[in-house]
Amino acid sequence: MSLTLSEKALAVKPSSTLAITAKAKELKEKGIDVVGFGAGEPDFNTPENICEAAIKAINEGFTKYTPASGINELKQAISDKFKKFNNIDYKPSQIVISNGGKHSLTNVFEAILNPGDEVIIPAPYWLSYPEIVKLAGGVPVFVRGEKEQGYKIDAAQLQAVTTEKTKAIILNTPSNPTGMIYSESELKEIADYAIKNDVYVVADEMYEYLVYNGEKHVSIASFNEEIYKRTITVSGLAKSYSMTGWRIGYTGSSEEIAKLMSSIQSHQTSNPNSIAQKAAVEALTGDQSAVNMMLGEFDKRRKYMYDRFLEMPYVSVIEPLGAFYVFVDLSQLLDKTYKDEKIGSAARVASILINDYNVAVVPCADFGFDDHIRLSYAISVEQIDKGLTRIEKFLGDIK
């Protein structure tokens, strides 16, 4: 008998965003001045009041196991936040705190999917969605939101791919990678579809605080009792509070699903980090001025990057209204040549930029759009300016 490895594990794609970030880091360590637009991570330090809460927890000995689904104090803070910000009534017993947003999504799909169940994933999508679905035994079904639709999908498109195996749809607003936001009317149509077809909505609202131009974040679970019962709302503290390394994500769902996720988590990870949970309580209930400051800075960077791209040849963008990404259409560029060779793909553009211009961007084939790249503006304006100037130089070298 020969030893074999898991076919499911072998089929998992490595993260292209992490690969680009690692490449940029490797070059920086060699002393090369690289501008990295890759990571979906704020460049700000975690606010001081949150750090102090963590230190206090350590000093007070809050360093032991907690309940598998999180401490009641944090569940109550999340429950209050859901009511105030999202207009959703989740009791603490309906909340599960996990080791980051990815872990929350993993819990969700392991709790609701049986082998062969289909999950509709609108494209462009965050590249981890299909991998998490497949690891949970599900089958991703992709629906393309074209640029002319603002990279969003509608209920008619969902209905067209719905089968008897459809179990859930993923809804990400504000969106990674596009920065687009679903309006209330668009969400209501999707809610009607979900109710009609009796499918779950996995609402990934990780970037919910990061909206601009007077736009408002709307949670699909807030509309009525029928969509509320079918929605699992996923969020976390990583992006809005600059707490990416603290690994705190959470879900609101029915008590039945919450119990399943808690049971799964108890066997896989025991509990979320005790110290990070205390820090998260402070994040949600303490001074919010640092969060508002970061939002203002992201908005300045967003406008600057968007305006610069409007002036560049061969590329086009739609103004992002949320998150901290610009999704760049390269379709006019791919038939051009660079160093006497046809460019051909966004992946080659990314390779040229990192190797010849010391700029790291994320090619988006793994996001469902192979003629686009994603740039994060979660870096300083000075770095954005430097990186965009290098991209302009590349575009000027195109023939």
Side-chain angles (χ1 to χ4, degrees):
M1 184 184 80
S2 60
L3 293 173
T4 59
L5 299 174
S6 163
E7 292 179 2
K8 187 162 63 173
L10 289 169
V12 173
K13 292 181 182 178
S15 169
S16 57
T17 56
L18 295 181
I20 286 288
T21 303
K23 174 72 172 177
K25 183 178 179 182
E26 176 188 332
L27 292 174
K28 285 179 181 179
E29 288 174 349
K30 293 178 179 178
I32 298 171
D33 178 23
V34 175
V35 177
F37 288 113
E41 178 172 58
D43 60 323
F44 303 103
N45 289 332
T46 303
E48 188 175 346
N49 61 311
I50 299 172
C51 295
E52 288 174 352
I55 293 167
K56 184 172 183 283
I58 293 170
N59 288 336
E60 292 180 352
F62 196 76
T63 56
K64 309 298 183 182
Y65 291 128
T66 75
S69 58
I71 59 175
N72 287 331
E73 183 184 10
L74 180 52
K75 287 185 178 184
Q76 186 62 60
I78 293 168
S79 175
D80 293 342
K81 173 261 173 187
F82 269 128
K83 288 176 187 175
K84 183 177 179 181
F85 182 80
N86 305 87
N87 195 30
I88 313 173
D89 186 11
Y90 288 125
K91 299 190 294 291
S93 58
Q94 295 173 268
I95 290 163
V96 175
I97 302 153
S98 304
N99 297 288
K102 285 182 181 178
H103 188 203
S104 293
L105 288 164
T106 298
N107 283 342
V108 169
F109 290 114
E110 290 189 347
I112 67 172
L113 295 183
N114 289 306
D117 282 349
E118 295 176 349
V119 178
I120 301 174
I121 304 177
Y125 47 80
W126 179 47
L127 77 175
S128 290
Y129 290 147
E131 307 308 315
I132 293 171
V133 167
K134 287 186 285 187
L135 283 169
V139 178
V141 175
F142 302 108
V143 177
R144 189 176 171 94
E146 299 293 349
K147 184 178 180 182
E148 294 72 26
Q149 301 169 258
Y151 300 112
K152 295 182 282 187
I153 52 88
D154 58 31
Q157 289 176 282
L158 292 171
Q159 193 64 59
V161 298
T162 299
T163 72
E164 61 182 15
K165 292 185 177 180
T166 303
K167 176 63 73 73
I169 64 169
I170 297 177
L171 191 64
N172 178 211
T173 181
S175 164
N176 172 12
T178 69
M180 298 297 112
I181 298 173
Y182 280 85
S183 69
E184 184 170 354
S185 61
E186 290 167 335
L187 291 173
K188 284 184 174 177
E189 287 186 7
I190 293 171
D192 290 343
Y193 153 83
I195 294 166
K196 172 186 172 185
N197 291 276
D198 198 23
V199 299
Y200 288 113
V201 176
V202 180
D204 182 354
E205 303 183 4
M206 181 61 72
Y207 295 91
E208 61 192 349
Y209 286 119
L210 302 179
V211 296
Y212 315 101
N213 277 13
E215 294 289 330
K216 180 185 176 185
H217 173 74
V218 179
S219 293
I220 193 169
S222 68
F223 293 146
N224 56 59
E225 181 65 21
E226 288 304 308
I227 191 61
Y228 169 82
K229 290 190 299 187
R230 292 170 173 82
T231 300
I232 302 119
T233 308
V234 182
S235 193
L237 304 179
K239 312 298 183 178
S240 301
Y241 291 90
S242 195
M243 293 178 68
T244 50
W246 298 74
R247 310 314 302 140
I248 293 291
Y250 57 83
T251 55
S253 66
S254 69
E255 288 195 350
E256 181 182 22
I257 291 174
K259 286 177 181 176
L260 288 176
M261 291 192 290
S262 178
S263 178
I264 291 166
Q265 183 163 296
S266 71
H267 290 290
Q268 291 186 332
T269 64
S270 292
N271 59 268
N273 180 287
S274 61
I275 300 155
Q277 288 185 72
K278 284 289 189 178
V281 171
E282 174 62 26
L284 292 171
T285 63
D287 181 16
Q288 302 295 302
S289 58
V291 177
N292 295 328
M293 177 278 293
M294 289 188 283
L295 179 64
E297 288 300 313
F298 286 141
D299 194 20
K300 291 177 190 174
R301 299 168 182 184
R302 175 188 72 91
K303 292 173 182 174
Y304 181 75
M305 185 180 284
Y306 173 63
D307 289 343
R308 286 283 297 271
F309 270 115
L310 289 179
E311 301 300 319
M312 295 185 195
Y314 310 126
V315 300
S316 63
V317 293
I318 297 177
E319 182 178 8
L321 297 175
F324 41 59
Y325 306 107
V326 174
F327 197 52
V328 184
D329 181 357
L330 304 180
S331 55
Q332 298 175 51
L333 178 65
L334 301 186
D335 284 334
K336 306 295 182 181
T337 59
Y338 175 77
K339 292 184 177 178
D340 298 323
E341 186 178 342
K342 181 179 175 181
I343 292 174
S345 70
R348 179 147 190 266
V349 171
S351 178
I352 292 168
L353 286 174
I354 190 72
N355 290 309
D356 293 0
Y357 296 86
N358 297 329
V359 177
V361 302
V362 176
C364 288
D366 289 345
F367 294 74
F369 271 61
D370 59 5
D371 55 0
H372 284 59
I373 56 175
R374 189 196 77 177
L375 285 82
S376 167
Y377 49 86
I379 59 174
S380 70
V381 171
E382 292 76 18
Q383 285 291 297
I384 291 171
D385 175 56
K386 184 189 293 185
L388 294 183
T389 299
R390 293 175 182 178
I391 291 174
E392 286 173 334
K393 174 69 168 63
F394 160 63
L395 294 174
D397 293 339
I398 294 300
K399 296 178 181 178

